[in-house]
Amino acid sequence: MSLREEQVDLPGLQPVPDRPFGLYVHVPFCITRCGYCDFNTYTPAELGGVNPDAWLQALRTELELAAARLGGPTLHTVFVGGGTPSLLGGARVATLLDMVREHFALAPDAEVTTEANPESAWPDFFGAARAAGYTRVSLGMQSVSPRVLGVLDRIHTPNRSADAAREALDAGFEHVSLDLIYGTPGESDDDLQRSVDTAVATGVDHVSAYALTVEDGTALSRRVRRGELAAPDDDVLAHRYELVDARLAEAGMDWYEVSNWSRPGGECRHNLGYWDGGQWWGAGPGAHGYVGATRWWNVKHPNAYADRLAAAALPVAGFEQLGPDALHTEDVLLRTRLRQGLPLASLDAAERERAESAVADGLLVAEGDRLVLTPRGRLLADGVVRGVLG
């Protein structure tokens, strides 16, 4: 694998035929920074003059350059994430999708998703997004416990997430997802149970649940380091995961990736593309893309992003070209996390032998020609992969 930093252009990109192609658009705006978040986001005080309209104009240029570089592949999925896309408002979110259509063809059944924060997404936003052609909404719920939301520095009120989910469904979205975080210091089993029950009661068809991770450089990590908060406990996290999994299974939602559950047909196709060998262009400040064997990432700050594009140059900060070993490692790492499992044919003889040991240990189970994580294996997914790869 070769790694190169501070590049302003990409090598020739060769999309792999017959693999789904997606577009990820990163919206860098947030009103405040949540204490646990290390995403590439900026509050108004940090932007230094870049506003949503200027960002949209820069994005238009990147989409034009991307389409020219790629030859205009048909998009099977579009995902507008962040950051807080709902801060753009309904009209700008519609304009964004119009810009995508100017430069790319969308498949007739394309999945088009926008993330939204419950406190900046209201019925008019959902109505405008649905009318523009968005098919899916993902809402950051995290918890319904006031004390948990307080530790996470979330600004929405406990009931707002559920109300926003119902508003999205009322606007005509068939696919609505709620994201939960479990393992926050001070969270109880009852806090998490009420959060999961509230999510189920809204009628959404998808729930994501992630263990709280203390990322270096965040406000949360500083509080843990000072001893103000306890770091998440691995045993507690495992117990909480089992609680989430059991309750969602009772509600008719099955896991299709270690941290994601859905009703039949509710899987997020864009995210499946990440895990199952798809390709995508990443547009926006700090966005990552992956085509063929090339992965790249854009410059992070919106000012630098806009400056590069004003000069008609791709806003690339660096790229790496993955060799066969790295591609194999990623393939095993990602596909093992899926309910559909890892094809046995993708493993060499030594890896199959180690996989048999994982089966004997109750971490994997053979289903036809695939290996699937057991419930216990899901709790140790990264370790299972490391064991198979050796």
Side-chain angles (χ1 to χ4, degrees), residues 163-215:
D163 290 342
R166 294 186 182 98
E167 290 163 5
L169 291 167
D170 289 344
F173 282 96
E174 180 180 356
H175 302 299
V176 179
S177 179
L178 286 168
D179 292 351
L180 299 173
I181 289 178
Y182 59 89
T184 300
E187 177 192 63
S188 66
D189 284 358
D190 183 62
D191 289 330
L192 182 57
Q193 186 73 61
R194 288 189 294 109
S195 297
V196 177
D197 287 346
T198 299
V200 168
T202 63
V204 300
D205 67 342
H206 189 285
V207 172
S208 299
Y210 302 102
L212 179 66
T213 303
V214 180
E215 301 287 357

Side-chain angles (χ1 to χ4, degrees), residues 23 28-29 42 53-54 76 82 91 99-100 104 107 158 162 190 202 204 241 250 257 281-282 287 320 337 346 359:
L23 171 69
F29 308 114
Y42 300 84
D53 292 318
H76 296 87
M99 287 163 39
V100 172
F104 293 91
D190 183 62
T202 63
V204 300
Y241 179 89
E250 290 174 5
E257 190 275 338
W281 187 280
E320 57 184 344
R337 296 181 63 87
S346 65
V359 171

Side-chain angles (χ1 to χ4, degrees), residues 92-182:
R92 289 194 188 94
V93 164
T95 296
L96 190 160
L97 188 53
D98 286 342
M99 287 163 39
V100 172
R101 291 192 182 102
E102 287 175 14
H103 301 292
F104 293 91
L106 268 64
D109 64 343
E111 176 192 85
V112 184
T113 304
T114 181
E115 292 183 334
N117 186 293
E119 287 294 348
S120 58
W122 300 89
D124 58 345
F125 172 84
F126 295 122
R130 185 70 190 97
Y134 289 81
T135 65
R136 188 180 191 96
V137 170
S138 179
L139 287 155
M141 182 181 194
Q142 320 314 351
S143 177
V144 298
S145 166
R147 68 170 174 267
V148 171
L149 292 174
V151 172
L152 296 175
D153 294 324
R154 296 289 293 183
I155 62 173
H156 63 262
T157 55
N159 295 327
R160 177 59 203 150
S161 298
D163 290 342
R166 294 186 182 98
E167 290 163 5
L169 291 167
D170 289 344
F173 282 96
E174 180 180 356
H175 302 299
V176 179
S177 179
L178 286 168
D179 292 351
L180 299 173
I181 289 178
Y182 59 89

Side-chain angles (χ1 to χ4, degrees), residues 277-340:
Q279 305 169 100
W280 66 93
W281 187 280
H288 286 57
Y290 178 66
V291 174
T294 301
R295 179 189 290 113
W296 71 94
W297 49 95
N298 283 349
V299 294
K300 287 189 171 183
H301 199 282
N303 285 336
Y305 173 78
D307 288 345
R308 293 277 184 96
L309 288 160
L314 285 171
V316 176
F319 68 88
E320 57 184 344
Q321 293 180 292
L322 304 181
D325 290 344
L327 288 169
H328 175 68
T329 296
E330 289 210 349
D331 186 60
V332 174
L333 174 67
L334 296 174
R335 293 189 187 221
T336 300
R337 296 181 63 87
L338 293 171
R339 176 62 183 84
Q340 67 192 42

Side-chain angles (χ1 to χ4, degrees), residues 328 332 336 341-374 376-377 381 383-390:
H328 175 68
V332 174
T336 300
L342 174 70
L344 273 167
S346 65
L347 301 179
D348 63 28
E351 290 167 342
R352 288 193 188 196
E353 185 174 340
R354 290 190 289 267
E356 289 175 3
S357 295
V359 171
D361 290 339
L363 301 172
L364 290 169
V365 62
E367 295 187 1
D369 61 352
R370 291 175 177 264
L371 294 170
V372 178
L373 290 168
T374 64
R376 179 166 165 260
V384 174
V385 171
R386 288 194 298 270
V388 170
L389 289 172

